[in-house]
Amino acid sequence: MSDATADPRYRRTPPKRPIRFSWSDERVRAIVWQLLVVGIIVAVVWWLVRNTQHNLEVRRIATGFGFLNREAGLPIAEHIIDYSPTNTYLRALIVGVLNTLKVAVIGIVLATILGTLIGIARLSKNWLVSKIAGVYVEVIRDLPLLLQLLFWYTVLQGLPNPRNAMNPVAGVFLSNRGLLLPWVEWQAAHTGALLAMIVGVVLTWMYSDVMRARRMQDGQPRRVWPIAVLLILGLPVAVWALMGAPFTPDVPALRGFNFRGGFVVSPEYFALLVGLVTYTSGFIAEIVRAGILSVGHGQWEAAQALGLKPGTVLKQIVLPQALRVIVPPMTSQYLNLTKNSSLAVAIGYQDIVSIANTTLNQTGQAIEGIAIIMAVYLSISLSISLFMNWYNAKIALVER
């Protein structure tokens, strides 16, 4: 390094130019424009609030969320938690949120699996498989989602009545009342086992990260699956056994004009889930295909030169690199699936939109009802975005 470069005088930052209160100074113009934009936004918001308050006062419409503590008198066919029409509007809205989450969470998982398989199939060397996957993607993406939901709902409504229900497997029935499956009588021990399984999955994930870090340090492979089996399967079974090991089968059976017992998947929920999964999977398939194609062909050639099988190359080498391209647009599809679930009102599935609309029609609290819907979808969308951003940062390339 030369003396000139090492001289502290050459490392000094240039003095800041003082702000001149003149329109020719770009910093002054920037401040003025920002203040102007903020002022316009504040003025618009103030005008909207004042106008809304005035209209509510003229029409003598009460405001506030006090109606949430009143009796709803609203029947809800599907509910994860206990609910009756004598409960409050607040509990009815909570049921609606849970119904929305039931569609969104399961739909995201199934759409990811189906979309990934179709995306890989589009790149298959088998001409027939590739063309079938391509036709699926083009047809599904070009048809409006609402039309697809109505199609699936109409198909399910065309199934036989309960007395003539299809019985493909013992204890399983399919009719226009939905899909009925054998189940168990849910008790506290089952809830404990479910929570233990969730804890086991989290602990397995943490253990896998620790073992991966140690492998990066010393290069010694370590088995994770024995601990995973112990935590994910052994721990829930142990909790279930300690709490009494209850197991009372609940098999659906025809009673009069309908079935009783078992686990019921209603036609409305089934049609909504199938429609959302098939529609979203078409977009996910293209994202996965683009992500795989973004990985250099040299990666395939190098892996094949080592004698690795194509399935192993795709799973261990290509997909981990493609994830860095796949995850950001995949986040948008997850958000779209969640927001598109609001179309459930078209086929009679009672999600948060349907229940909130009924609530505001009964109480007249339109602003509060719309605000609740917006808050629910905003919270779900932000939660998905935060999780996906965290995952995207976790798999990002780190330079050493």
Side-chain angles (χ1 to χ4, degrees):
M1 183 180 295
S2 64
D3 295 338
T5 305
D7 193 336
R9 292 176 298 176
Y10 291 93
R11 295 200 300 266
R12 294 176 183 175
T13 57
K16 293 184 178 181
R17 182 166 52 88
I19 297 178
R20 296 180 302 165
F21 293 97
S22 171
W23 190 253
S24 60
D25 193 325
E26 66 277 4
R27 289 173 294 178
V28 173
R29 293 198 302 269
I31 294 174
V32 171
W33 284 118
Q34 292 179 44
L35 291 175
L36 183 61
V37 171
V38 171
I40 293 174
I41 294 174
V42 171
V44 170
V45 172
W46 178 84
W47 179 82
L48 290 174
V49 172
R50 290 295 301 170
N51 188 54
T52 302
Q53 291 178 344
H54 174 72
N55 291 332
L56 291 174
E57 292 175 358
V58 170
R59 291 165 177 78
R60 297 181 180 179
I61 299 176
T63 58
F65 293 91
F67 70 95
L68 294 176
N69 296 321
R70 288 165 23 199
E71 180 179 326
L74 171 64
I76 301 177
E78 297 185 51
H79 43 84
I80 299 177
I81 61 177
D82 293 333
Y83 174 81
S84 68
T86 57
N87 291 129
T88 62
Y89 282 112
L90 177 60
R91 191 170 185 84
L93 292 170
I94 292 175
V95 170
V97 173
L98 294 177
N99 286 347
T100 298
L101 290 174
K102 183 172 69 171
V103 173
V105 173
I106 298 178
I108 285 173
V109 174
L110 296 180
T112 302
I113 297 173
L114 181 60
T116 301
L117 294 177
I118 296 173
I120 295 174
R122 289 209 66 184
L123 298 173
S124 174
K125 295 180 180 179
N126 187 303
W127 183 87
L128 181 60
V129 172
S130 177
K131 293 303 178 183
I132 291 176
V135 170
Y136 174 89
V137 169
E138 294 301 328
V139 172
I140 289 297
R141 297 204 310 169
D142 291 341
L143 292 176
L145 176 57
L146 181 58
L147 181 62
Q148 295 187 41
L149 295 179
L150 295 175
F151 167 78
W152 289 112
Y153 186 66
T154 303
V155 169
L156 293 174
Q157 289 298 309
L159 293 174
N161 57 43
R163 288 185 176 273
N164 301 314
M166 293 184 286
N167 184 210
V169 183
V172 177
F173 299 92
L174 182 63
S175 69
N176 56 9
R177 300 295 179 88
L179 176 65
L180 291 97
L181 304 170
W183 198 241
V184 294
E185 185 178 341
W186 197 265
Q187 299 183 25
H190 300 105
T191 303
L194 179 61
L195 295 176
M197 180 179 291
I198 295 174
V199 172
V201 171
V202 174
L203 293 178
T204 300
W205 193 355
M206 296 171 62
Y207 178 78
S208 176
D209 285 346
V210 173
M211 293 300 101
R212 188 181 299 109
R214 291 184 179 179
R215 182 177 181 178
M216 295 296 293
Q217 292 177 356
D218 56 23
Q220 297 296 326
R222 292 174 173 82
R223 293 181 178 180
V224 177
W225 69 265
I227 301 298
V229 172
L230 182 63
L231 292 175
I232 299 177
L233 296 180
L235 182 60
V237 171
V239 172
W240 174 69
L242 290 174
M243 298 183 68
F247 186 80
T248 305
D250 187 10
V251 181
L254 185 63
R255 297 286 187 271
F257 296 99
N258 201 355
F259 288 96
R260 295 290 184 271
F263 181 79
V264 182
V265 181
S266 68
E268 294 80 11
Y269 176 77
F270 193 72
L272 179 63
L273 185 63
V274 171
L276 289 174
V277 168
T278 54
Y279 181 75
T280 308
S281 65
F283 293 90
I284 291 178
E286 287 297 275
I287 294 173
V288 171
R289 184 176 70 91
I292 294 176
L293 291 176
S294 68
V295 179
H297 192 65
Q299 299 288 326
W300 288 92
E301 295 175 344
Q304 291 171 356
L306 294 174
L308 298 179
K309 297 180 179 180
T312 304
V313 177
L314 181 65
K315 178 182 177 182
Q316 301 292 341
I317 298 176
V318 175
L319 277 181
Q321 298 181 65
L323 280 177
R324 296 171 178 85
V325 178
I326 291 173
V327 170
M330 190 83 82
T331 304
S332 298
Q333 293 306 317
Y334 291 166
L335 297 177
N336 288 339
L337 187 148
T338 303
K339 292 180 287 188
N340 287 337
S341 66
S342 61
L343 294 175
V345 67
I347 56 176
Y349 179 73
Q350 292 176 292
D351 66 336
I352 181 61
V353 175
S354 175
I355 295 175
N357 283 337
T358 304
T359 299
L360 67 89
N361 287 331
Q362 291 180 350
T363 62
Q365 308 291 135
I367 295 177
E368 291 80 359
I370 298 299
I372 290 173
I373 296 174
M374 294 173 61
V376 168
Y377 280 106
L378 180 62
S379 300
I380 297 175
S381 298
L382 288 178
S383 300
I384 294 174
S385 297
L386 288 174
F387 174 79
M388 294 301 293
N389 288 337
W390 168 81
Y391 181 72
N392 190 38
K394 183 178 178 63
I395 64 174
L397 289 174
V398 179
E399 296 183 359
R400 298 183 180 182

